């Protein structure tokens, strides 16, 4: 079975966490449209569509969007995420993203870490 994760992935770190939790891949549509300067107005599928010309069938609004500029933005997004993922893998001593799949042992929940640290500090103060 192949597990593809989506929803709320906004950075290379989010993708790395999803992969460490067992995902085989990720869908990052929202990050892509935000890279194209989407203002998240919610008009994509209603009326004339996107006032920025990103997702519209209206020829008048469609001219507002420069495809070459948009292509460059998406290429920059993916290039940046690629570099960030390589950095994450390097920090973990891995050579391939395949090595990261299912490695939830590398993750820790920040709230649990903070609570544990406070509990340990409290026990040391009480014992000392």
């Amino acid at each position: 079975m192949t597990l593809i994760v989506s929803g709320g992935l906004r950075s290379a770190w989010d993708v790395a966490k999803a992969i460490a939790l067992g995902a085989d891949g990720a869908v990052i549509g929202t990050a892509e449209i935000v890279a194209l300067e989407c203002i998240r107005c919610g008009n994509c599928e209603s009326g004339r569509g996107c006032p920025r010309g990103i997702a519209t069938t209206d020829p008048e609004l469609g001219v507002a969007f420069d495809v070459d500029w948009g292509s460059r933005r998406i290429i920059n997004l993916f290039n940046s995420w690629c570099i960030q993922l390589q950095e994450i893998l390097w920090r973990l001593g891995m050579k391939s993203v395949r090595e990261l799949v299912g490695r939830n042992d590398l993750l820790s929940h920040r709230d649990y870490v903070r609570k544990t640290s406070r509990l340990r500090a409290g026990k040391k103060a009480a014992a000392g």
Side-chain angles (χ1 to χ4, degrees), residues 15-52:
V15 172
K17 286 183 269 187
I19 291 170
L21 287 169
D24 297 299
V27 176
I28 56 166
T30 302
E32 291 170 335
I33 63 169
V34 169
L36 296 174
E37 294 187 353
C38 169
I39 56 174
R40 312 273 320 262
C41 66
N43 291 332
C44 303
E45 298 170 1
S46 62
R48 293 180 70 193
C50 175
R52 308 277 294 174

Side-chain angles (χ1 to χ4, degrees), residues 1-79:
M1 176 187 312
T2 301
L3 176 65
I4 305 295
V5 113
S6 71
L9 301 173
R10 289 175 175 61
S11 71
W13 288 93
D14 291 339
V15 172
K17 286 183 269 187
I19 291 170
L21 287 169
D24 297 299
V27 176
I28 56 166
T30 302
E32 291 170 335
I33 63 169
V34 169
L36 296 174
E37 294 187 353
C38 169
I39 56 174
R40 312 273 320 262
C41 66
N43 291 332
C44 303
E45 298 170 1
S46 62
R48 293 180 70 193
C50 175
R52 308 277 294 174
I54 300 168
T56 185
T57 55
D58 185 315
E60 190 178 309
L61 290 174
V63 234
F65 186 76
D66 181 356
V67 176
D68 290 334
W69 172 86
S71 300
R72 189 77 243 154
R73 298 276 296 191
I74 296 296
I75 289 167
N76 288 345
L77 173 73
F78 288 142
N79 186 48

Side-chain angles (χ1 to χ4, degrees), residues 116-128:
T116 305
S117 298
R118 276 187 261 145
L119 289 173
R120 286 184 189 148
K123 286 180 183 177
K124 286 180 185 176

Side-chain angles (χ1 to χ4, degrees), residues 65-125:
F65 186 76
D66 181 356
V67 176
D68 290 334
W69 172 86
S71 300
R72 189 77 243 154
R73 298 276 296 191
I74 296 296
I75 289 167
N76 288 345
L77 173 73
F78 288 142
N79 186 48
S80 171
W81 282 26
C82 181
I83 292 167
Q84 290 172 35
L85 279 169
Q86 289 171 354
E87 171 77 15
I88 293 165
L89 293 173
W90 176 79
R91 287 180 181 200
L92 297 172
M94 298 177 177
K95 294 183 180 187
S96 168
V97 75
R98 294 184 208 293
E99 295 178 60
L100 185 58
V101 177
R103 290 295 309 272
N104 59 3
D105 59 303
L106 300 171
L107 301 173
S108 63
H109 194 285
R110 286 184 179 186
D111 290 342
Y112 299 154
V113 172
R114 280 190 222 127
K115 283 181 186 176
T116 305
S117 298
R118 276 187 261 145
L119 289 173
R120 286 184 189 148
K123 286 180 183 177
K124 286 180 185 176

